[in-house]
Amino acid sequence: MLLDRLWGGFLDTLLMVGVSSLLALLLGLPLAVVLVVSDRNGLYENVSLNRVLGGFVNLFRSIPFLILMVALIPFTRMLVGTSYGVWAAVVPLTVAAMPFFARIAEVSLREVDHGLTEAAQAMGCKRGHIIRHVLLPEALPGIVSGFTITLVTMINASAMAGAIGAGGLGDLAYRYGYQRFDTQVMLTVIVALVALVTLLQLGGDRLARRLNHRA
C-alpha cells in the first residue's frame, strides 16, 4: 500500500515539475534574452523596456512561494478551474520558476565574451543571427546548469505545494506521515526526494560539462 502511494506521489511530482519546468524554460529563456539585448549598449537597446521587465522579474522573485501560491488562487482557478490538485500547482510553480530561471540564464548570457559579438557584428551578421548563433550557444552550458538549479528548486516547491493539497510526495508526507505520526512514510518520502534531486543534479552537471567546449 505504501509503495503504491509512494509511486503515485512520485508520478504526480514528476508531472508537476515536468510541465512547470517546460513552461518556465519556454517563457524564461526568451525573457532572459530580452533582458540582455535590451540593456544599455545591447543589441536592441531599450532601457525603458529593460527596467520594466527587470522590475517584473524582481517582484515575483521576492515573493515567498507559499504566499505566491495563495495569492494566485483566483488566477489559478480561472486557468484550470480549480485551486487544488496537480494541475492547479502547475500555475504557481511556473510563475515562481520563470523569473528565477530568467535571472540565472541572464547571468550566463552576460558572461559571453563581448569580443565574440563585436566580431560577429564586424562581419556583418544580423542581430538575430548573433543571438541564435553566438549568444545562446556560448551561454548554453551555464543555461543548462541554471535550469538544473531551477528544477531542484521546483522539486522543493512542489513538496510544499503538495502539503496544502496539490498532491505529489509533499501531500503523501503531510497526510500519511506528519498527520498520522508515521515516521516510516516521512523517511521514505525524504529518501525519494533526495534521490530525485541527486539524479537531476548529476545529470544536469554532466550535460553542462559536455556542452562546455571551453573546458
Side-chain angles (χ1 to χ4, degrees):
M1 184 66 70
L2 175 59
L3 287 177
D4 292 338
R5 291 197 183 111
L6 181 64
W7 179 245
F10 184 74
L11 292 178
D12 285 346
T13 296
L14 287 182
L15 179 60
M16 278 190 285
V17 174
V19 174
S20 303
S21 62
L22 178 61
L23 292 173
L25 176 64
L26 295 176
L27 298 173
L29 185 56
L31 178 58
V33 172
V34 173
L35 284 169
V36 171
V37 300
S38 66
D39 203 2
R40 197 176 303 277
N41 298 321
L43 292 172
Y44 294 91
E45 182 177 344
N46 190 329
V47 177
S48 298
L49 175 64
N50 186 272
R51 288 176 179 172
V52 170
L53 291 178
F56 163 81
V57 170
N58 291 335
L59 172 65
F60 282 94
R61 284 183 64 225
S62 64
I63 303 175
F65 178 72
L66 186 59
I67 297 175
L68 179 65
M69 187 164 52
V70 174
L72 288 174
I73 285 177
F75 181 64
T76 301
R77 280 204 189 111
M78 182 181 70
L79 286 181
V80 298
T82 181
S83 59
Y84 296 95
V86 172
W87 290 107
V90 168
V91 177
L93 281 171
T94 302
V95 173
M98 181 184 66
F100 180 83
F101 173 63
R103 277 301 187 201
I104 296 178
E106 179 191 2
V107 171
S108 298
L109 289 165
R110 291 189 186 281
E111 289 179 346
V112 175
D113 188 356
H114 289 291
L116 294 175
T117 58
E118 291 173 355
Q121 286 178 308
M123 294 171 60
C125 292
K126 296 181 179 180
R127 292 176 292 184
H129 284 82
I130 294 175
I131 293 172
R132 291 193 301 270
H133 301 295
V134 178
L135 277 179
L136 288 174
E138 289 294 321
L140 191 56
I143 291 173
V144 170
S145 295
F147 189 62
T148 303
I149 295 172
T150 304
L151 281 173
V152 171
T153 303
M154 291 173 71
I155 290 172
N156 295 333
S158 72
M160 188 185 305
I164 60 172
L169 292 173
D171 178 63
L172 179 65
Y174 181 72
R175 284 201 295 158
Y176 295 96
Y178 174 73
Q179 290 187 333
R180 299 185 183 183
F181 303 101
D182 192 330
T183 306
Q184 181 184 1
V185 174
M186 292 289 288
L187 290 176
T188 303
V189 171
I190 290 173
V191 170
L193 288 171
V194 169
L196 180 58
V197 167
T198 301
L199 287 174
L200 284 174
Q201 190 67 60
L202 289 174
D205 290 345
R206 178 172 296 181
L207 179 59
R209 285 195 297 269
R210 291 186 62 180
L211 292 171
N212 189 3
H213 59 271
R214 293 170 292 182

